[in-house]
Amino acid sequence: MALSRLEQRIGAHLQVLYPDLDPGELTQACLQAISSPPDAPTPVPHSNLWSQCDCVMITYGDSLRREGEAPLHTLHQFLNRHLADCISTVHILPFFPYSSDDGFSVMDYSSVSPKVGEWEDVSALAEDFTVMGDLVINHCSSRSRWFENFKAGVEPGASFFVQVPGDTDLSAVVRPRTSSLLREVETASGTRHVWCTFSEDQVDLDFRNPEVLLTFLRIIRLYIEKGITWFRLDAVAFLWKEIGTRCINLPQTHQMIRLLRLLIEHREPAATLITETNIPNNENLTYFGNANEAHMIYNFSLPPLLINTLISGNCTHLKNWLMTMPAAQHGTAYFNFIASHDGIGLRPVEGLLTDWEVSNLIQTLQRFGARVSTRTGPDGQPKPYEINVSLFDALKGTVQHGPDPWQVARYLCAHAIMLGLEGIPAIYVHSLVATENDEDRVTHSGHLRSINRHIWQADDLEEKLVGETHHRGVFNALRRLIKLRCAQPAFHPNASQFNLQLGESLFGYWRQSVSGEQSIFAIYNVTDTPQRLNLAELNLLAADLWHDLIRGQDYEDQVAQITLAPYQALWLTDQVPVAEADAAAD
């Protein structure tokens, strides 16, 4: 029987990854594992599965708690009550049973931790929102059944992990941590050394064994059946190991992502793959492939560059970086964020900021309560890896003057910049409500990342969101900005974007909708002093009226000079959709 086009494509990927195996048999095993028919319809290439109305909220399953309720149920209630009109997608960080790293040491990929809820809670959430889940694909917990089986020498697990002789030269391997790369383990077959990229509790899985691939395809099938359609490939850059190489961004890793995308999108046409690769910018961009790998890539350079811009009052590096960023092909998009459960990564600004500028950024944020995590560099010495701090506290002042009265304005400016950029915005739950540094969690957990992993008692947060607090002010302002964005065709994730040259104090870009019916000039004062803007510099098109969406002000004189207050954002458009009036009124 002739092979279908899908079978041929799967077999071609498998032939590269597993040249010693029969690609035909393995192709059928893959299709069976993910439960996809060989004649499944092919998704239309270069189709955008998103619009300007897409906005993601990132959260742990238990970031909000209420006595007597499953945290996932509490989260669902909060979303329906406050965010149903502006958040389309919810990224629930790992909600499985785990042993460390706040979920990223997964013990059982097939069950929901009873501490947060049940699969029914995930499926219920998926009825109202798109759900993005983590595929923690590089490693699993040393307390998992798989690793216990590895030590006992039985399957599944005995052949699931990367192991090398203890005296192997691994000096070329790129490290994201300072811990030992190899962990010595006693097994039924004697002493073995297993590969641990991130910690001794996170043991790397060996995808050179096709049984590991098939196991994860079954896991993906389960997630799809439970309502998850967006998949975050955690730490995927480290997936494939070859001794003598850097063991990061290897060709086999890219081949594996292409294979996963092919299988997943034929199983679920609405499925979306997002690669989490906290690496230098040029390396990160390769995970788009030729629109055949990730649908979206985390825009890791944006957080450190944007924060550096706003605390220094100089947008030069942000502007220069943006000018080098290629437009995402249709069917792909940047996943824009400026805060997450992790820290502010510093590898993504390698080659973009000087060592002195990185040091200055670190020292400034340390004045605002930040901690610094390190990794082992090529010379064996510790190097700064990420800055651990809540975003609200990171923007509490400037390099020159320290803390100042402009914290909220600076904070909202940061989000307005992100919301207007090409790509899909993702906002951490603690950014939405302007959570401060959680010093107590750092003390009690001993982990620096805990500073930005606060757990709110839901009723306490509700009180703050109706009281006279900065939490309420920020929350309402961000909701309004998100809804404004949703009404603008020019803010479609794949709409055209061009940079504006307005000096170092004013940052700006021009967006135009795919069909050309709307233009927006997005301009931001990134300093703590008023800045003059000559509208003639923008070369405004010959519209009779230009309108600032954020403040609701009209501009008829296209050559007037206007003054932007410290950290003021201006979304200047030639067309105001009807929905904008509703968003502005909220």
Short mmCIF file of all heavy atoms in Angstrom, two decimals, residues 450-502:
data_model
loop_
_atom_site.label_atom_id
_atom_site.label_comp_id
_atom_site.label_asym_id
_atom_site.label_seq_id
_atom_site.Cartn_x
_atom_site.Cartn_y
_atom_site.Cartn_z
N SER A 450 12.03 32.13 44.09
CA SER A 450 10.81 32.25 44.89
C SER A 450 10.42 33.70 45.12
O SER A 450 9.28 33.99 45.49
CB SER A 450 10.98 31.54 46.24
OG SER A 450 11.16 30.15 46.05
N ILE A 451 11.34 34.61 44.91
CA ILE A 451 11.06 36.03 45.14
C ILE A 451 9.92 36.53 44.25
O ILE A 451 9.21 37.48 44.60
CB ILE A 451 12.34 36.86 44.90
CG1 ILE A 451 12.22 38.24 45.56
CG2 ILE A 451 12.66 37.00 43.41
CD1 ILE A 451 13.54 39.01 45.60
N ASN A 452 9.72 35.85 43.11
CA ASN A 452 8.69 36.26 42.17
C ASN A 452 7.65 35.16 41.98
O ASN A 452 7.03 35.04 40.92
CB ASN A 452 9.32 36.62 40.82
CG ASN A 452 8.39 37.40 39.92
OD1 ASN A 452 7.50 38.10 40.39
ND2 ASN A 452 8.58 37.27 38.61
N ARG A 453 7.46 34.35 43.03
CA ARG A 453 6.49 33.25 42.97
C ARG A 453 5.56 33.31 44.18
O ARG A 453 5.29 32.32 44.84
CB ARG A 453 7.21 31.90 42.88
CG ARG A 453 8.04 31.75 41.62
CD ARG A 453 8.76 30.41 41.55
NE ARG A 453 9.53 30.28 40.30
CZ ARG A 453 10.27 29.21 39.98
NH1 ARG A 453 10.35 28.18 40.81
NH2 ARG A 453 10.92 29.18 38.84
N HIS A 454 5.09 34.49 44.46
CA HIS A 454 4.19 34.71 45.59
C HIS A 454 2.91 33.89 45.42
O HIS A 454 2.46 33.64 44.30
CB HIS A 454 3.85 36.20 45.68
CG HIS A 454 2.96 36.55 46.82
ND1 HIS A 454 3.38 36.53 48.13
CD2 HIS A 454 1.65 36.94 46.85
CE1 HIS A 454 2.39 36.90 48.92
NE2 HIS A 454 1.32 37.15 48.17
N ILE A 455 2.35 33.46 46.53
CA ILE A 455 1.04 32.80 46.51
C ILE A 455 0.05 33.70 47.22
O ILE A 455 0.20 34.01 48.40
CB ILE A 455 1.10 31.42 47.19
CG1 ILE A 455 2.02 30.49 46.37
CG2 ILE A 455 -0.30 30.82 47.31
CD1 ILE A 455 2.23 29.13 47.01
N TRP A 456 -0.96 34.13 46.47
CA TRP A 456 -1.98 35.02 47.02
C TRP A 456 -3.11 34.22 47.64
O TRP A 456 -3.58 33.22 47.07
CB TRP A 456 -2.59 35.89 45.91
CG TRP A 456 -1.80 37.09 45.51
CD1 TRP A 456 -0.99 37.22 44.43
CD2 TRP A 456 -1.77 38.36 46.18
NE1 TRP A 456 -0.45 38.47 44.37
CE2 TRP A 456 -0.91 39.20 45.44
CE3 TRP A 456 -2.38 38.86 47.33
CZ2 TRP A 456 -0.65 40.51 45.81
CZ3 TRP A 456 -2.13 40.15 47.71
CH2 TRP A 456 -1.27 40.97 46.95
N GLN A 457 -3.57 34.66 48.81
CA GLN A 457 -4.87 34.22 49.28
C GLN A 457 -5.90 35.00 48.48
O GLN A 457 -5.89 36.23 48.45
CB GLN A 457 -5.01 34.48 50.78
CG GLN A 457 -4.08 33.65 51.65
CD GLN A 457 -4.25 32.15 51.43
OE1 GLN A 457 -5.38 31.64 51.42
NE2 GLN A 457 -3.14 31.44 51.24
N ALA A 458 -6.76 34.28 47.77
CA ALA A 458 -7.63 34.91 46.78
C ALA A 458 -8.48 36.02 47.38
O ALA A 458 -8.66 37.07 46.76
CB ALA A 458 -8.52 33.85 46.12
N ASP A 459 -8.99 35.82 48.58
CA ASP A 459 -9.85 36.85 49.18
C ASP A 459 -9.05 38.10 49.54
O ASP A 459 -9.57 39.22 49.43
CB ASP A 459 -10.55 36.29 50.42
CG ASP A 459 -11.56 35.19 50.07
OD1 ASP A 459 -12.05 35.21 48.93
OD2 ASP A 459 -11.84 34.34 50.92
N ASP A 460 -7.80 37.91 49.96
CA ASP A 460 -6.95 39.07 50.23
C ASP A 460 -6.70 39.87 48.96
O ASP A 460 -6.74 41.11 48.95
CB ASP A 460 -5.60 38.62 50.82
CG ASP A 460 -5.74 38.06 52.23
OD1 ASP A 460 -6.79 38.29 52.86
OD2 ASP A 460 -4.80 37.38 52.68
N LEU A 461 -6.44 39.15 47.86
CA LEU A 461 -6.21 39.85 46.60
C LEU A 461 -7.47 40.57 46.15
O LEU A 461 -7.39 41.72 45.68
CB LEU A 461 -5.76 38.85 45.53
CG LEU A 461 -5.52 39.43 44.13
CD1 LEU A 461 -4.47 40.54 44.18
CD2 LEU A 461 -5.11 38.34 43.15
N GLU A 462 -8.62 39.94 46.29
CA GLU A 462 -9.87 40.59 45.91
C GLU A 462 -10.06 41.90 46.67
O GLU A 462 -10.50 42.91 46.10
CB GLU A 462 -11.06 39.65 46.15
CG GLU A 462 -11.10 38.42 45.26
CD GLU A 462 -11.57 38.72 43.85
OE1 GLU A 462 -11.88 39.88 43.55
OE2 GLU A 462 -11.62 37.77 43.04
N GLU A 463 -9.72 41.90 47.93
CA GLU A 463 -9.84 43.13 48.73
C GLU A 463 -8.91 44.22 48.20
O GLU A 463 -9.29 45.39 48.12
CB GLU A 463 -9.51 42.84 50.20
CG GLU A 463 -10.57 42.03 50.92
CD GLU A 463 -10.22 41.83 52.39
OE1 GLU A 463 -9.24 42.47 52.86
OE2 GLU A 463 -10.90 41.03 53.06
N LYS A 464 -7.71 43.82 47.82
CA LYS A 464 -6.76 44.81 47.31
C LYS A 464 -7.19 45.36 45.95
O LYS A 464 -6.88 46.50 45.60
CB LYS A 464 -5.35 44.20 47.22
CG LYS A 464 -4.74 43.91 48.59
CD LYS A 464 -3.31 43.46 48.49
CE LYS A 464 -2.73 43.11 49.86
NZ LYS A 464 -2.76 44.25 50.80
N LEU A 465 -7.91 44.55 45.19
CA LEU A 465 -8.33 44.99 43.86
C LEU A 465 -9.56 45.90 43.90
O LEU A 465 -9.95 46.45 42.86
CB LEU A 465 -8.62 43.77 42.96
CG LEU A 465 -7.40 42.91 42.61
CD1 LEU A 465 -7.79 41.77 41.69
CD2 LEU A 465 -6.29 43.75 41.98
N VAL A 466 -10.15 46.06 45.06
CA VAL A 466 -11.25 47.03 45.19
C VAL A 466 -10.88 48.17 46.13
O VAL A 466 -11.61 49.16 46.24
CB VAL A 466 -12.56 46.35 45.68
CG1 VAL A 466 -13.03 45.34 44.68
CG2 VAL A 466 -12.37 45.72 47.05
N GLY A 467 -9.75 48.04 46.82
CA GLY A 467 -9.31 49.09 47.74
C GLY A 467 -8.46 50.14 47.05
O GLY A 467 -8.18 50.07 45.84
N GLU A 468 -8.04 51.12 47.83
CA GLU A 468 -7.17 52.18 47.30
C GLU A 468 -5.73 51.71 47.34
O GLU A 468 -4.95 52.10 48.20
CB GLU A 468 -7.37 53.47 48.11
CG GLU A 468 -8.76 54.06 48.00
CD GLU A 468 -9.11 54.41 46.56
OE1 GLU A 468 -8.24 54.92 45.83
OE2 GLU A 468 -10.26 54.16 46.15
N THR A 469 -5.37 50.83 46.42
CA THR A 469 -4.04 50.23 46.39
C THR A 469 -3.43 50.36 45.00
O THR A 469 -4.14 50.55 44.01
CB THR A 469 -4.11 48.73 46.74
OG1 THR A 469 -4.83 48.04 45.71
CG2 THR A 469 -4.82 48.51 48.08
N HIS A 470 -2.11 50.22 44.95
CA HIS A 470 -1.47 50.21 43.64
C HIS A 470 -1.87 48.97 42.85
O HIS A 470 -1.86 48.97 41.61
CB HIS A 470 0.06 50.29 43.78
CG HIS A 470 0.72 49.02 44.22
ND1 HIS A 470 0.93 48.69 45.54
CD2 HIS A 470 1.21 47.98 43.49
CE1 HIS A 470 1.54 47.52 45.61
NE2 HIS A 470 1.71 47.06 44.38
N HIS A 471 -2.23 47.88 43.55
CA HIS A 471 -2.67 46.67 42.86
C HIS A 471 -3.90 46.96 42.02
O HIS A 471 -3.98 46.55 40.85
CB HIS A 471 -2.99 45.57 43.88
CG HIS A 471 -1.86 45.24 44.81
ND1 HIS A 471 -0.77 44.51 44.40
CD2 HIS A 471 -1.64 45.55 46.11
CE1 HIS A 471 0.07 44.37 45.41
NE2 HIS A 471 -0.43 45.00 46.47
N ARG A 472 -4.86 47.65 42.60
CA ARG A 472 -6.08 47.99 41.87
C ARG A 472 -5.78 48.90 40.68
O ARG A 472 -6.26 48.68 39.56
CB ARG A 472 -7.07 48.66 42.80
CG ARG A 472 -8.33 49.16 42.10
CD ARG A 472 -9.15 50.04 43.01
NE ARG A 472 -10.34 50.56 42.35
CZ ARG A 472 -11.16 51.46 42.87
NH1 ARG A 472 -10.91 51.95 44.08
NH2 ARG A 472 -12.21 51.88 42.20
N GLY A 473 -4.96 49.93 40.90
CA GLY A 473 -4.66 50.87 39.83
C GLY A 473 -3.98 50.20 38.65
O GLY A 473 -4.35 50.42 37.48
N VAL A 474 -3.00 49.38 38.94
CA VAL A 474 -2.27 48.69 37.87
C VAL A 474 -3.19 47.69 37.16
O VAL A 474 -3.22 47.63 35.92
CB VAL A 474 -1.02 47.98 38.44
CG1 VAL A 474 -0.46 46.99 37.43
CG2 VAL A 474 0.04 49.01 38.82
N PHE A 475 -3.92 46.91 37.93
CA PHE A 475 -4.79 45.88 37.36
C PHE A 475 -5.81 46.48 36.39
O PHE A 475 -5.97 46.02 35.26
CB PHE A 475 -5.49 45.14 38.49
CG PHE A 475 -6.29 43.94 38.06
CD1 PHE A 475 -5.69 42.85 37.45
CD2 PHE A 475 -7.66 43.89 38.28
CE1 PHE A 475 -6.42 41.74 37.06
CE2 PHE A 475 -8.41 42.79 37.89
CZ PHE A 475 -7.79 41.71 37.29
N ASN A 476 -6.46 47.55 36.81
CA ASN A 476 -7.47 48.17 35.95
C ASN A 476 -6.83 48.81 34.72
O ASN A 476 -7.39 48.75 33.61
CB ASN A 476 -8.26 49.21 36.73
CG ASN A 476 -9.19 48.57 37.75
OD1 ASN A 476 -9.55 47.39 37.62
ND2 ASN A 476 -9.60 49.32 38.77
N ALA A 477 -5.68 49.42 34.90
CA ALA A 477 -5.01 50.06 33.77
C ALA A 477 -4.55 49.02 32.74
O ALA A 477 -4.68 49.22 31.53
CB ALA A 477 -3.82 50.87 34.26
N LEU A 478 -4.03 47.88 33.21
CA LEU A 478 -3.58 46.85 32.28
C LEU A 478 -4.76 46.20 31.56
O LEU A 478 -4.68 45.91 30.36
CB LEU A 478 -2.76 45.79 33.02
CG LEU A 478 -1.36 46.24 33.48
CD1 LEU A 478 -0.64 45.11 34.20
CD2 LEU A 478 -0.52 46.72 32.32
N ARG A 479 -5.85 45.97 32.27
CA ARG A 479 -7.03 45.42 31.62
C ARG A 479 -7.49 46.35 30.50
O ARG A 479 -7.85 45.90 29.40
CB ARG A 479 -8.16 45.21 32.63
CG ARG A 479 -7.92 44.06 33.59
CD ARG A 479 -9.05 43.93 34.61
NE ARG A 479 -10.32 43.62 33.96
CZ ARG A 479 -11.35 44.45 33.88
NH1 ARG A 479 -11.27 45.67 34.41
NH2 ARG A 479 -12.47 44.07 33.29
N ARG A 480 -7.48 47.65 30.76
CA ARG A 480 -7.92 48.62 29.75
C ARG A 480 -6.98 48.61 28.55
O ARG A 480 -7.42 48.62 27.39
CB ARG A 480 -7.98 50.01 30.36
CG ARG A 480 -8.37 51.10 29.37
CD ARG A 480 -8.52 52.46 30.03
NE ARG A 480 -8.82 53.47 29.02
CZ ARG A 480 -7.91 54.16 28.36
NH1 ARG A 480 -6.62 53.96 28.60
NH2 ARG A 480 -8.27 55.06 27.45
N LEU A 481 -5.67 48.57 28.78
CA LEU A 481 -4.71 48.54 27.68
C LEU A 481 -4.88 47.28 26.83
O LEU A 481 -4.81 47.34 25.59
CB LEU A 481 -3.28 48.61 28.21
CG LEU A 481 -2.77 49.97 28.68
CD1 LEU A 481 -1.40 49.82 29.34
CD2 LEU A 481 -2.71 50.95 27.52
N ILE A 482 -5.10 46.14 27.48
CA ILE A 482 -5.27 44.90 26.73
C ILE A 482 -6.51 44.97 25.86
O ILE A 482 -6.51 44.56 24.69
CB ILE A 482 -5.35 43.70 27.70
CG1 ILE A 482 -4.03 43.51 28.46
CG2 ILE A 482 -5.68 42.42 26.93
CD1 ILE A 482 -4.12 42.55 29.63
N LYS A 483 -7.61 45.51 26.40
CA LYS A 483 -8.84 45.62 25.62
C LYS A 483 -8.69 46.62 24.48
O LYS A 483 -9.24 46.41 23.39
CB LYS A 483 -10.00 45.98 26.54
CG LYS A 483 -10.43 44.82 27.43
CD LYS A 483 -11.77 45.06 28.10
CE LYS A 483 -11.68 46.03 29.23
NZ LYS A 483 -12.99 46.16 29.94
N LEU A 484 -7.94 47.69 24.71
CA LEU A 484 -7.66 48.62 23.62
C LEU A 484 -6.89 47.92 22.50
O LEU A 484 -7.19 48.10 21.31
CB LEU A 484 -6.85 49.80 24.14
CG LEU A 484 -7.60 50.93 24.85
CD1 LEU A 484 -6.61 51.94 25.42
CD2 LEU A 484 -8.56 51.63 23.88
N ARG A 485 -5.91 47.15 22.87
CA ARG A 485 -5.11 46.41 21.88
C ARG A 485 -6.02 45.51 21.04
O ARG A 485 -5.90 45.45 19.81
CB ARG A 485 -4.05 45.57 22.58
CG ARG A 485 -3.36 44.56 21.66
CD ARG A 485 -2.61 43.50 22.44
NE ARG A 485 -2.29 42.37 21.56
CZ ARG A 485 -1.24 42.31 20.76
NH1 ARG A 485 -0.38 43.30 20.72
NH2 ARG A 485 -1.04 41.25 19.99
N CYS A 486 -6.93 44.82 21.71
CA CYS A 486 -7.79 43.85 21.04
C CYS A 486 -8.62 44.50 19.94
O CYS A 486 -8.96 43.85 18.94
CB CYS A 486 -8.70 43.18 22.07
SG CYS A 486 -9.80 41.94 21.40
N ALA A 487 -8.93 45.78 20.08
CA ALA A 487 -9.80 46.47 19.12
C ALA A 487 -9.04 47.01 17.92
O ALA A 487 -9.66 47.57 17.02
CB ALA A 487 -10.53 47.60 19.82
N GLN A 488 -7.71 46.85 17.88
CA GLN A 488 -6.90 47.49 16.83
C GLN A 488 -6.36 46.46 15.84
O GLN A 488 -5.46 45.68 16.17
CB GLN A 488 -5.73 48.27 17.45
CG GLN A 488 -6.06 49.09 18.67
CD GLN A 488 -7.27 49.98 18.50
OE1 GLN A 488 -7.47 50.58 17.45
NE2 GLN A 488 -8.09 50.07 19.55
N PRO A 489 -6.82 46.46 14.59
CA PRO A 489 -6.25 45.56 13.58
C PRO A 489 -4.74 45.76 13.38
O PRO A 489 -4.02 44.82 13.04
CB PRO A 489 -7.03 45.91 12.31
CG PRO A 489 -8.30 46.53 12.78
CD PRO A 489 -7.95 47.24 14.06
N ALA A 490 -4.26 46.97 13.61
CA ALA A 490 -2.82 47.25 13.43
C ALA A 490 -1.97 46.56 14.49
O ALA A 490 -0.74 46.49 14.34
CB ALA A 490 -2.56 48.75 13.45
N PHE A 491 -2.60 46.06 15.55
CA PHE A 491 -1.86 45.32 16.58
C PHE A 491 -1.97 43.81 16.40
O PHE A 491 -1.66 43.05 17.32
CB PHE A 491 -2.33 45.73 17.98
CG PHE A 491 -1.79 47.05 18.45
CD1 PHE A 491 -2.50 47.82 19.36
CD2 PHE A 491 -0.57 47.54 18.00
CE1 PHE A 491 -2.01 49.05 19.82
CE2 PHE A 491 -0.07 48.76 18.43
CZ PHE A 491 -0.79 49.51 19.35
N HIS A 492 -2.42 43.37 15.24
CA HIS A 492 -2.40 41.94 14.96
C HIS A 492 -0.96 41.44 15.13
O HIS A 492 0.00 42.14 14.76
CB HIS A 492 -2.88 41.66 13.53
CG HIS A 492 -3.01 40.21 13.21
ND1 HIS A 492 -1.92 39.41 12.94
CD2 HIS A 492 -4.10 39.39 13.12
CE1 HIS A 492 -2.32 38.17 12.70
NE2 HIS A 492 -3.65 38.14 12.79
N PRO A 493 -0.75 40.25 15.70
CA PRO A 493 0.62 39.76 15.92
C PRO A 493 1.50 39.75 14.68
O PRO A 493 2.73 39.84 14.80
CB PRO A 493 0.39 38.34 16.45
CG PRO A 493 -0.94 38.41 17.13
CD PRO A 493 -1.75 39.35 16.30
N ASN A 494 0.91 39.66 13.49
CA ASN A 494 1.70 39.62 12.27
C ASN A 494 1.55 40.88 11.42
O ASN A 494 1.97 40.90 10.26
CB ASN A 494 1.32 38.40 11.44
CG ASN A 494 1.66 37.10 12.14
OD1 ASN A 494 0.80 36.52 12.81
ND2 ASN A 494 2.89 36.65 12.01
N ALA A 495 0.98 41.94 11.99
CA ALA A 495 0.89 43.21 11.27
C ALA A 495 2.29 43.79 11.07
O ALA A 495 3.21 43.53 11.85
CB ALA A 495 0.01 44.20 12.03
N SER A 496 2.45 44.60 10.05
CA SER A 496 3.76 45.19 9.74
C SER A 496 4.25 46.06 10.89
O SER A 496 3.45 46.70 11.60
CB SER A 496 3.65 46.06 8.48
OG SER A 496 3.30 45.28 7.37
N GLN A 497 5.56 46.11 11.06
CA GLN A 497 6.16 46.93 12.11
C GLN A 497 7.44 47.57 11.58
O GLN A 497 8.28 46.89 10.98
CB GLN A 497 6.47 46.08 13.34
CG GLN A 497 7.20 46.83 14.45
CD GLN A 497 7.34 45.98 15.70
OE1 GLN A 497 6.36 45.65 16.35
NE2 GLN A 497 8.57 45.59 16.01
N PHE A 498 7.58 48.87 11.78
CA PHE A 498 8.79 49.60 11.41
C PHE A 498 9.22 50.48 12.57
O PHE A 498 8.38 51.04 13.28
CB PHE A 498 8.55 50.45 10.15
CG PHE A 498 8.26 49.65 8.92
CD1 PHE A 498 6.96 49.39 8.52
CD2 PHE A 498 9.30 49.12 8.17
CE1 PHE A 498 6.69 48.64 7.40
CE2 PHE A 498 9.04 48.36 7.03
CZ PHE A 498 7.73 48.12 6.64
N ASN A 499 10.50 50.59 12.76
CA ASN A 499 11.03 51.36 13.88
C ASN A 499 11.07 52.85 13.54
O ASN A 499 11.30 53.23 12.39
CB ASN A 499 12.45 50.88 14.23
CG ASN A 499 12.46 49.43 14.64
OD1 ASN A 499 11.81 49.06 15.60
ND2 ASN A 499 13.18 48.61 13.90
N LEU A 500 10.88 53.66 14.55
CA LEU A 500 10.96 55.11 14.42
C LEU A 500 12.26 55.59 15.03
O LEU A 500 12.70 55.08 16.08
CB LEU A 500 9.77 55.78 15.10
CG LEU A 500 8.38 55.36 14.61
CD1 LEU A 500 7.30 56.03 15.45
CD2 LEU A 500 8.20 55.69 13.14
N GLN A 501 12.89 56.57 14.41
CA GLN A 501 14.14 57.14 14.91
C GLN A 501 13.83 58.47 15.59
O GLN A 501 13.75 59.51 14.95
CB GLN A 501 15.13 57.31 13.75
CG GLN A 501 15.44 56.03 13.00
CD GLN A 501 16.05 54.96 13.88
OE1 GLN A 501 16.87 55.25 14.76
NE2 GLN A 501 15.66 53.71 13.66
N LEU A 502 13.66 58.42 16.89
CA LEU A 502 13.23 59.60 17.65
C LEU A 502 14.21 59.98 18.75
O LEU A 502 13.85 60.68 19.69
CB LEU A 502 11.84 59.33 18.28
CG LEU A 502 10.72 58.96 17.29
CD1 LEU A 502 9.47 58.54 18.05
CD2 LEU A 502 10.42 60.13 16.37
#
